[in-house]
Amino acid sequence: MAAFPWFFLLLLYVNSFFMISAQHTLPELTSDDYADSLAPRKTSLLYFSGSDRPGNVIFLEELQKSSSVLQDYGISVAKVRCVEEAALRFCAEDKAYLFRGSKLLREFPADTLFDVNAIVANVLFVLLYNEVKYITSTLELQKLEDATKGKKNIVFTYVRAIGTPEHRYVMEAAFAHGSTHQFVVTTESNVLKSMSPEDPSLISARLVFIHCKSVTNADQKCQRTLSDQPLTTIHIHRFLKLMGLPLVVEVSDDPNKFSSVHLQLGLPVVFILSQQETYEVDMETAEDVAWQLLGKAGVGVVQREKSGINIPVAYNVAVKRPDENSPVKYLKLKEIQQILDLIHVPKEEQPEKPEESHGDPGVQDDEVARDVYRNRRPVLPLKLVPSLTDDTFKTVFSSARPTAVLFYMIWEHISITLLQFFQEVAEKYKGILEVSLAAVNCADWTVVCTKEKITQFPSVRIYQAGQEPVLYQGMMGTDELARFLILFHLECPRQLHTVEEAGGFISGAMHTSLRPYHNTSILGLFTLDMKEGAAEDFIMAARQLRGSAVVGIYTGESASVLAQQYGAPPPAILFSRRSVQKVNAVSIHNVPADEILPLLKWELLGEFPEVTVESLPALMKRQKPLLILFSDGVPSPRNEKHILSLVRGRYLEQYVTCWLNVKNTPAGLLVLKTYFSVIPPLPQLVLISFDSLGQVFALPVGQQISEVSILYWLEMVKAGEEVPVYFLSKDDWGPPLPHYDFLAMMDEVDPNLAAQKIRIRMKSTRSKKAEMSTKEEKRQSTSLRRTIPKFIDGKEESGRHEEL
């Protein structure tokens, strides 16, 4: 969801560039000489066009993209320009035609080839007619299984529709593996229900490997293995590679030296330790385990007598992990379930019969999607959120009233959750919102989503006549989304014309009805001679805060007087915080234009910000140690007063000082328990450093929070007199699988977005603290704790602590 508004301008530029490129780089033939290009045994996809209609430009762009892809399969792509006097029947309709030599194989209406995926999928579907069978019933599938027993295995695929990305990936896989396996495709949900307990309305595609080649008895059923991975090119080829490996391998040497494809693909290998007397029974056990771990781990049988090493008889199972430095672990187990537990195969994910392996949509590598699925609720009736089609979607461009449009996929769990939030916003804030709500199911209206360049689901965009659409990048919650839409209708920044208006704006009197939805008002003050300089930079930055803040600008004659009143000569920005009834003034004289927006965003967090899921990335971007006050609720006025005194006195500038309410953010309790083994009495002040040492310090439990105690404690930390309560692990927080590196995907959009890639796994330092305690006793005589700080008077003005 992360992107910046300027990125849309770039998209428009790139889009127009590729439109022009598609027209000029796609090979173009005339209606007179196109027949000469149809060489024998050559496959060609030709698009006959008699005019330059607006819709053709988008189609030509996608056709150009598919040209380089289809060229890899020996298929040429070209456009044929029809002149007015041409009498060819191909020129009569807006279609593309697939030829093998001069023989016409299939004609495609242009609207069925809506993007590069649809073009590649449909063309390969025609050419691979014998390798890929399309079925519509379980009876057809059963007949196909009976016909392939003892000959081939079947790769069964369910896709929502022909031409989807998943359909393309399957067709490309069939091009490579069609001679080895029989590929089957269906779009009928009832066929999928016969082999999977999943609700077809919740998934976009599914792959099942049907083992028929090893079946020799006509009455025997073909065993099935369900892939629980998303249908992508990498996952399909990886899955087929695993299905083609031997079910069980015999190992005759040291398991530590064993190497296999499973290990190379990052999967473990389970060894059944056997001896000559029990070899046949052990092989049957290994096959039983292998069927249940198929696609998740390799299985081998080690004969003790041939291994060359002395394996104690007490052990009967060994496990080798894919890590190079991980030694083989020998175990004594009693049940097969214990082996499955080692590979983390839950009981609910195991097949009821050895010949079937069902996936669980609630067990996913994407933890967010998993939790959303597990906590899903029935979809609410969309009474107040109308569904748009390709015809009705056009109205959002001409409506003077802003329209927030949700682009979603009906089978995607997070999309369904956000769809529910949309409905809740419409019901809860009816009569308050000045923004219309609507939704587009991209599974049904692919053309709409393609034209709008929607590449991530779900996505929310706000449309208004005469303006570029704005992408919503906030939290996916009912209140957060509503707050953004309520503030979105405000002019940002609002032009103020008199000093009285500016005063009313900064006092909050101008937007009294919006007080529940924002805490800080921002006012830019500029003199008349600054309109083309600093004021322009401020306006550009403020526009990117639309929906997130209430922003005004005053460039009148009295701007200097108003700015001087708050102690910051213009150009200046005033931040009025309603919660503390305080106005903070910041001069932006000599501040570069690209630093104004980060300055505004940081000031919006406040002097003493709360750590939340939404604010944490912004706090981490400061790249400073975190000084966090963990509190059971809102900090007490006394504690907040002491900390704000230090913040305003600029004594804590080298830290990011913030607080965390464990009631609003329960994860804070888990963090505290990790640091202290038990949850300490609250409030608790903690300092977390993200340098190479990764030290975590805590204000001694029971010590009162005051300016003096905080500064004294921080001085002890600097002097090395405080013992860390924990060390952050030096290991990186990696993705659950190589292809699920979501932080890397986020970095592709914004290199600074995934700055939260900190080392979060903790390890105890009890032994280190015990070791350091003896050193502490030896240096008690010279410890800084025996000195009396010069700033012991807590009532002294913060500005007088110059020695700090």
Side-chain angles (χ1 to χ4, degrees), residues 263 267-269 319-324 326-328 342-344:
L263 295 172
L267 299 176
V269 175
V319 178
K320 182 177 177 63
R321 301 289 178 180
D323 303 327
E324 293 183 359
S326 177
V328 171
L342 289 173
I343 313 301
H344 308 295

Side-chain angles (χ1 to χ4, degrees), residues 65-66 68-73 75 116-125 128 131-132 155 157 164-179 183 185 231-234 236-237 240:
K65 294 177 184 177
S66 68
S68 58
V69 178
L70 292 176
Q71 187 176 4
D72 295 337
Y73 300 103
I75 305 166
V116 61
N117 295 315
I119 295 172
V120 174
N122 276 284
V123 171
L124 292 181
F125 203 14
L128 299 176
E131 288 82 3
V132 182
V155 180
T157 309
T164 59
E166 292 86 355
H167 183 216
R168 171 190 170 178
Y169 302 147
V170 172
M171 297 311 303
E172 290 179 321
F175 192 92
H177 303 281
S179 60
F183 280 73
V185 174
L231 246 65
T232 64
T233 300
I234 293 178
I236 293 174
H237 286 280
L240 295 182

Side-chain angles (χ1 to χ4, degrees), residues 483 486-487 511-519 578:
R483 183 167 58 246
I486 289 172
L487 298 181
H511 300 295
T512 55
S513 62
L514 300 178
R515 285 182 179 177
Y517 309 108
H518 78 102
N519 178 55
R578 182 170 49 85

Side-chain angles (χ1 to χ4, degrees), residues 1-72:
M1 296 288 297
F4 291 99
W6 59 262
F7 190 65
F8 293 116
L9 297 177
L10 178 61
L11 278 178
L12 291 175
Y13 171 78
V14 173
N15 181 45
S16 61
F17 171 80
F18 277 107
M19 286 181 180
I20 298 173
S21 175
Q23 290 176 313
H24 290 282
T25 61
L26 189 67
E28 185 170 304
L29 308 172
T30 66
S31 56
D32 293 327
D33 61 8
Y34 85 93
D36 297 335
S37 67
L38 302 178
R41 295 186 297 275
K42 177 184 177 183
T43 305
S44 305
L45 179 66
L46 302 182
Y47 171 62
F48 290 79
S49 176
S51 62
D52 290 326
R53 294 186 295 273
N56 289 0
V57 178
I58 298 175
F59 174 73
L60 289 174
E61 177 188 351
E62 299 300 321
L63 193 64
Q64 169 61 25
K65 294 177 184 177
S66 68
S67 176
S68 58
V69 178
L70 292 176
Q71 187 176 4
D72 295 337

Side-chain angles (χ1 to χ4, degrees), residues 24 106 174 239 327 338 507 649:
H24 290 282
R106 182 69 59 86
F239 184 71
Q338 293 177 288
S507 66

Side-chain angles (χ1 to χ4, degrees), residues 76-286:
S76 62
V77 181
K79 170 188 173 183
V80 179
R81 179 173 293 278
C82 297
V83 295
E84 293 181 0
E85 60 270 22
L88 287 173
R89 70 177 182 89
F90 301 129
C91 295
E93 299 181 19
D94 188 28
K95 293 182 179 181
Y97 298 83
L98 184 65
F99 293 88
R100 173 70 59 79
S102 59
K103 180 181 179 182
L104 176 62
L105 299 180
R106 182 69 59 86
E107 61 183 48
F108 302 104
D111 58 355
T112 63
L113 307 180
F114 42 84
D115 62 10
V116 61
N117 295 315
I119 295 172
V120 174
N122 276 284
V123 171
L124 292 181
F125 203 14
V126 173
L127 297 179
L128 299 176
Y129 178 78
N130 293 323
E131 288 82 3
V132 182
K133 300 293 184 182
Y134 180 81
I135 63 172
T136 59
S137 67
T138 55
L139 180 60
E140 290 181 79
L141 179 60
Q142 187 58 56
K143 290 181 179 179
L144 195 58
E145 286 187 31
D146 294 338
T148 55
K149 287 179 180 178
K151 301 175 183 177
K152 278 187 175 184
N153 294 316
I154 297 176
V155 180
F156 169 86
T157 309
Y158 165 81
V159 294
R160 273 207 167 266
I162 300 299
T164 59
E166 292 86 355
H167 183 216
R168 171 190 170 178
Y169 302 147
V170 172
M171 297 311 303
E172 290 179 321
F175 192 92
H177 303 281
S179 60
T180 306
H181 308 298
Q182 175 63 61
F183 280 73
V184 176
V185 174
T186 187
T187 57
E188 300 295 327
S189 58
N190 63 310
V191 182
L192 178 63
K193 288 181 180 179
S194 66
M195 61 180 68
S196 171
E198 298 172 290
D199 184 355
S201 65
L202 300 178
I203 60 175
S204 60
R206 186 61 76 220
L207 184 70
V208 181
F209 193 91
I210 306 177
H211 306 264
C212 290
K213 188 175 182 179
S214 58
V215 176
T216 56
N217 189 340
D219 296 330
Q220 183 182 355
K221 290 184 178 181
C222 299
Q223 299 182 11
R224 298 170 177 176
T225 302
L226 185 72
S227 172
D228 56 2
Q229 297 293 314
L231 246 65
T232 64
T233 300
I234 293 178
H235 288 146
I236 293 174
H237 286 280
R238 183 176 184 270
F239 184 71
L240 295 182
K241 182 72 174 178
L242 292 172
M243 295 300 102
L245 298 176
L247 187 63
V248 178
V249 295
E250 294 185 30
V251 182
S252 57
D253 56 0
D254 186 353
N256 276 300
K257 300 177 181 179
F258 179 78
S259 179
S260 71
V261 175
H262 288 91
L263 295 172
Q264 295 169 6
L265 294 177
L267 299 176
V269 175
V270 175
F271 300 98
I272 304 299
L273 306 180
S274 177
Q275 48 194 2
Q276 189 172 356
E277 296 80 5
T278 61
Y279 180 77
E280 293 183 3
V281 176
D282 294 332
M283 182 59 74
E284 292 178 3
T285 301

